[in-house]
Amino acid sequence: MINVTKTFLPEKKKFQQILDRAWDKVWLTNRGELTLELEEKIQKKYATTNMLITNNGTIPIQIALKLLGNQGEIITTPFSYVATTSAIIWEYCKPVFVDIHPEFLTIDETKIEAAITSKTTAILATHVFGNPCEVEAIEHIAKKHNLKVIYDAAHCFGVVYKNKSIFNYGDVSTCSFHATKVFHTGEGGAIFCKDEALFHQLFYSHNFGHNGPLAFHGVGINAKISELQSAMGLAVFDEMDYIFEERKKVTDYYLKTLDFSKLTSIKIRPQTDWNYSYFPIIFESEKVLLHVEKQLKNENITPRRYFYPSLNTVSFVEKMDMPISESIASRILCLPLYVGLKEHDLERISTIINTSLLC
Ligand SMILES: *Cc1c(COP(=O)(O)O)cnc(C)c1O
């Protein structure tokens, strides 16, 4: 069985050795030494701004919306994982969708201003598959209209845009360290924020609002990661260069062998050091997609329809037409991409796709 992804597992012995440190100290959570070390390593290697590791990649979006969304209208993308939209609703804000760019697949910045009203408080956009949004244009619009910018950068571990970590853009950026993501801690995530005052608020919010053991800064939630998860993170972190290299090889193979006269893929924005987090292909029609998907499944190969459906069509949002997002969502398939995917399997996948495209 070949799945769209396979979790990278470090050497078990190495993981256990790191875990021993938590054991010896009898310290399993509350920002223990493994969590602090992992934060320091990530910040140092990718030169990120202020950062806080969290228990997943969804709660940080909610915390950011709680602090910056003010229960207003949030301009957002319909082409993302459902967490982007549901976090908005969960925080009593209202999603206002803006359609996407047909090649970059990120929110179409040229359509944002038309969606702004007196109730708009923030823009929540996703760097889809690690492909940066047009961050400078978005920043310009946000400044002009006094809006906050939050990036769902769940796919972006390791991405550098214009010589800067992608996490350093926006008022707040979030990442996911879920087991299916490029870098993972099993479950986990992170929140990034340049502004010191806002960072302190985020920090309090992620730990029940605690300001010391006896005082509270305000209302908070529990978004802390455990040392058990950070141990996994430290073991995986050391392999990141290898992980990116191997993922690049798979990507290059697809680019070289697939028949792009009948397909397209995502267009990565210039000046991006990409992280090879996903390999999406876009078909001419949903009919072709379903046909190809069926041929792959017959051979026990399971790609995933990321992202489907377009989020403006889910039952819990007000209906709005987003023709580009709906069209792309119906025609896009993410192919298997992970460390350890064998060349003969890649060959099989490419052959099945190219042959299926002929009929
Ligand atoms: C994975 C993902 C999330 C959620 O992250 P979790 O760590 O699973 O909570 C949010 N947004 C996007 C775009 C994702 O792909």
Side-chain angles (χ1 to χ4, degrees):
M1 167 91 142
I2 298 175
N3 244 319
V4 65
T5 188
K6 186 172 175 183
T7 299
F8 178 87
L9 289 179
E11 216 184 297
K12 201 191 267 177
K13 205 166 135 217
K14 179 170 182 180
F15 174 58
Q16 281 170 340
Q17 278 169 356
I18 300 171
L19 212 47
D20 280 345
R21 291 168 53 196
W23 227 265
D24 295 344
K25 272 190 120 174
V26 198
W27 189 285
L28 295 192
T29 186
N30 285 356
R31 296 182 60 68
E33 69 171 55
L34 302 184
T35 301
L36 297 181
E37 185 178 316
L38 182 57
E39 265 174 19
E40 199 184 309
K41 282 189 162 167
I42 295 172
Q43 270 191 295
K44 205 164 156 199
K45 178 153 183 184
Y46 298 105
T48 67
T49 181
N50 297 314
M51 139 181 220
L52 196 55
I53 297 184
T54 57
N55 55 346
N56 61 45
T58 302
I59 301 284
I61 304 175
Q62 290 179 208
I63 294 174
L65 286 166
K66 175 81 78 193
L67 294 176
L68 303 177
N70 209 16
Q71 301 190 11
E73 292 179 1
I74 310 295
I75 291 186
T76 192
T77 174
F79 192 69
S80 183
Y81 183 57
V82 70
T84 318
T85 298
S86 52
I88 294 173
I89 298 168
W90 198 271
E91 293 303 330
Y92 300 99
C93 297
K94 183 184 167 200
V96 174
F97 294 104
V98 164
D99 213 343
I100 59 168
H101 189 280
E103 293 174 299
F104 296 123
L105 309 184
T106 48
I107 195 166
D108 185 343
E109 64 283 352
T110 64
K111 294 180 179 159
I112 289 178
E113 278 196 292
I116 295 174
T117 74
S118 59
K119 292 188 192 138
T120 309
T121 52
I123 299 167
L124 169 58
T126 301
H127 302 304
V128 177
F129 305 137
N131 196 23
C133 296
E134 191 11 314
V135 288
E136 279 149 0
I138 291 173
E139 187 177 335
H140 180 78
I141 295 165
K143 276 217 175 98
K144 184 171 154 197
H145 296 273
N146 198 20
L147 305 176
K148 299 295 182 187
V149 179
I150 303 163
Y151 285 115
D152 180 344
H155 302 166
C156 292
F157 196 88
V159 172
V160 173
Y161 181 59
K162 296 194 173 171
N163 296 317
K164 230 163 68 169
S165 165
I166 193 69
F167 298 135
N168 294 0
Y169 293 91
D171 291 290
V172 174
S173 272
T174 64
C175 190
S176 167
F177 300 165
H178 185 259
T180 55
K181 305 295 206 274
V182 169
F183 166 76
H184 78 92
T185 55
E187 290 274 1
I191 195 157
F192 301 84
C193 173
K194 288 186 293 276
D195 183 82
E196 293 292 335
L198 178 57
F199 183 67
H200 281 119
Q201 277 187 292
L202 293 163
F203 188 93
Y204 293 129
S205 303
H206 107 294
N207 184 23
F208 304 103
H210 268 295
N211 183 10
L214 303 178
F216 296 93
H217 182 270
V219 69
I221 196 164
N222 181 1
K224 287 176 282 116
I225 196 171
S226 80
E227 290 287 273
L228 309 179
Q229 294 158 294
S230 291
M232 175 60 77
L234 284 170
V236 175
F237 184 83
D238 285 346
E239 309 292 333
M240 284 320 293
D241 289 339
Y242 167 70
I243 290 172
F244 290 134
E245 251 169 57
E246 291 299 301
R247 299 182 74 102
K248 180 175 188 306
K249 281 187 204 160
V250 174
T251 304
D252 288 345
Y253 189 92
Y254 283 137
L255 286 172
K256 196 175 72 201
T257 53
L258 289 174
D259 178 2
F260 284 99
S261 70
K262 296 197 168 65
L263 294 170
T264 56
S265 187
I266 190 170
K267 182 171 171 188
I268 299 298
R269 209 174 283 284
Q271 299 187 63
T272 304
D273 295 330
W274 193 38
N275 64 357
Y276 312 97
S277 47
Y278 296 84
F279 194 89
I281 50 175
I282 305 169
F283 298 95
E284 279 166 5
S285 68
E286 185 171 26
K287 193 171 156 230
V288 179
L289 177 146
L290 292 172
H291 173 68
V292 173
E293 190 188 27
K294 190 160 163 249
Q295 304 310 310
L296 289 166
K297 282 187 172 166
N298 284 345
E299 297 288 323
N300 265 326
I301 297 160
T302 323
R304 269 293 290 270
R305 294 187 70 179
Y306 287 141
F307 293 107
Y308 181 88
S310 184
L311 294 169
N312 57 303
T313 66
V314 296
S315 63
F316 45 86
V317 302
E318 218 172 86
K319 293 277 164 285
M320 300 171 81
D321 285 340
M322 293 286 131
I324 299 171
S325 176
E326 286 168 49
S327 167
I328 298 279
S330 72
R331 295 184 287 123
I332 193 166
L333 197 61
C334 281
L335 297 184
L337 169 53
Y338 51 84
V339 177
L341 193 53
K342 302 270 186 305
E343 178 142 354
H344 70 261
D345 285 326
L346 283 168
E347 203 179 310
R348 248 174 7 110
I349 295 167
S350 291
T351 307
I352 295 168
I353 294 171
N354 289 341
T355 334
S356 314
L357 281 172
L358 293 175
C359 41

